[in-house]
Amino acid sequence: MNTRLQTNLRQILRRAFLPALSLLMAFTSIQIQANPSKPAASPIEGRWDITVDADGKPLPSWLEVRHSGTSTLVGQFTGFSGSARPISEVKFKDGKFSFAIPKQWERGDKDLTVEGTLSGESISGTLTTPEGKTHSWKGVRAPALRKTTLPAWGTPIKLTGGNEIKGWHPMGSPTNQWVAENGILRSPKSGANLITDQKFGDFKLHIEFRIPKGSNSGVYLRGRYEVQVTDSKGMEPSLDQMGAVYGFITPSEMVAKEPGEWNTFDITLVGRMLTLVANGKTVISNQEIPGITGGALDSNEGEPGPLYIQGDHGPVEYQNIIITPAK
């Protein structure tokens, strides 16, 4: 091959190769931007069941930490009062972490602050309330509660009937205001909550309730997850109105009836997965409850728990409470 031919061939190849190389580099750059490297999980990430020592009284709380981008940790926190609240940043370094969130229903005018230390699969630390009280606490990783098969259902248990309260005990107020009349459990005023003597794991629940205008109650599943009972006719669905899992799950639509009319819930709880049919409409379909809600009896999510109905937020009536536990 003569010299001139070789030179021409090199020029042709160069003209063809350089644009192709530029195109390949551009495509690779786009791919890298579209598929950034997965951030390394921090050991503090996950869900934690917490018990606060409030002057010798154990009170439940809950924490979730997750990453946002490559270098920031965020999350949410449920204290022993109120609902789950977002955490804009969890600071974590050398096994120690801290965060602060604005007050909700607490007294005082400061942020609620939490400081803790990670040690293997447990955490511990201190919590300072908006009014300045400091309590110690301990936490463990929350169980996943994932089920691979649907349960077989046992025999239904009727928890209301007649003119006597059976299978329940009051908690909270020293005076029990609950009465049973013709199969209706009635709380005529704010007072004690009512808790079943028996504890349950997975179950199906049918429950009917009637609430006057402006009142408020709740049904706690396993004593830990509150489904809201409120006077909500005509409202938009929200995290704190009828059919919501308080602070966590908003129902798909508001189906509340007029104050003074009977409403129904049909609830299926398997592990953390909840389905709620309210007044004949499915408003929550197999959604996960992340953690305990405010007012929970404890944070021991891996254990069975009782059914508990709220009687400390105003008048309410319940009837035809039937629970079908898993075998």
Side-chain angles (χ1 to χ4, degrees):
M1 185 180 295
N2 61 45
T3 304
R4 176 175 294 180
L5 182 58
Q6 288 178 335
T7 301
N8 290 340
L9 183 59
R10 282 197 295 268
Q11 291 175 345
I12 292 170
L13 290 174
R14 188 181 297 114
R15 292 191 188 101
F17 177 73
L18 288 178
L21 179 61
S22 298
L23 182 62
L24 177 61
M25 292 178 65
F27 178 77
T28 302
S29 175
I30 291 171
Q31 286 294 98
I32 291 173
Q33 292 176 21
N35 299 286
S37 59
K38 183 179 179 181
S42 168
I44 193 63
E45 286 190 54
R47 296 169 176 169
W48 302 88
D49 287 337
I50 292 171
T51 301
V52 179
D53 181 358
D55 302 321
K57 182 180 180 180
L59 296 176
S61 291
W62 174 86
L63 170 66
E64 180 180 38
V65 180
R66 60 186 184 274
H67 62 262
S68 176
T70 58
S71 60
T72 303
L73 294 173
V74 298
Q76 53 185 336
F77 179 77
T78 301
F80 45 80
S81 67
S83 64
R85 286 172 268 181
I87 306 169
S88 61
E89 183 177 10
V90 178
K91 298 178 181 178
F92 179 67
K93 185 177 182 180
D94 299 329
K96 297 185 181 298
F97 66 93
S98 64
F99 62 86
I101 52 177
K103 62 170 288 187
Q104 192 181 57
W105 301 106
E106 301 93 347
R107 297 174 181 174
D109 56 2
K110 300 178 181 178
D111 285 348
L112 184 151
T113 60
V114 174
E115 296 182 348
T117 301
L118 171 68
S119 178
E121 294 298 289
S122 62
I123 54 177
S124 60
T126 58
L127 176 153
T128 303
T129 68
E131 58 182 326
K133 294 182 179 180
T134 299
H135 306 295
S136 62
W137 57 264
K138 295 181 179 180
V140 296
R141 285 201 182 273
L145 300 181
R146 295 189 182 95
K147 304 296 178 74
T148 57
T149 59
L150 290 175
W153 301 109
T155 303
I157 302 169
K158 190 165 185 178
L159 296 169
T160 52
N163 298 306
E164 186 178 357
I165 298 177
K166 294 181 179 180
W168 301 81
H169 59 273
M171 186 201 76
S173 172
T175 302
N176 178 25
Q177 81 287 355
W178 288 92
V179 294
E181 298 175 349
N182 299 319
I184 298 174
L185 281 176
R186 178 176 290 113
S187 175
K189 61 181 180 179
S190 296
N193 301 318
L194 208 56
I195 301 171
T196 58
D197 298 335
Q198 189 173 349
K199 295 183 178 181
F200 307 95
D202 297 337
F203 57 81
K204 294 192 295 184
L205 173 68
H206 175 84
I207 189 166
E208 301 175 12
F209 58 89
R210 181 164 62 182
I211 194 164
K213 188 172 180 60
S215 196
N216 182 306
S217 183
V219 179
Y220 281 77
L221 313 177
R222 299 194 195 116
R224 302 182 187 107
Y225 314 119
E226 183 188 10
V227 180
Q228 284 286 82
V229 170
T230 57
D231 164 31
S232 307
K233 174 71 173 179
M235 294 184 179
E236 287 295 312
S238 67
L239 288 171
D240 61 353
Q241 296 300 326
M242 190 185 115
V245 177
Y246 186 42
F248 281 127
I249 304 175
T250 300
S252 59
E253 60 181 305
M254 178 56 68
V255 297
K257 295 184 178 181
E258 295 287 350
E261 293 187 26
W262 286 102
N263 296 266
T264 65
F265 283 165
D266 287 283
I267 295 169
T268 302
L269 180 64
V270 178
R272 295 184 180 277
M273 306 309 292
L274 175 78
T275 295
L276 170 61
V277 179
N279 291 330
K281 292 189 176 181
T282 301
V283 295
I284 298 175
S285 180
N286 199 39
Q287 290 194 45
E288 183 185 48
I289 304 175
I292 67 168
T293 60
L297 298 178
D298 61 48
S299 58
N300 305 324
E301 292 190 89
E303 299 178 3
L307 184 69
Y308 121 55
I309 52 179
Q310 200 172 48
D312 60 356
H313 279 52
V316 66
E317 295 174 314
Y318 289 93
Q319 69 175 7
N320 294 330
I321 304 177
I322 303 170
I323 192 165
T324 304
K327 290 183 179 179

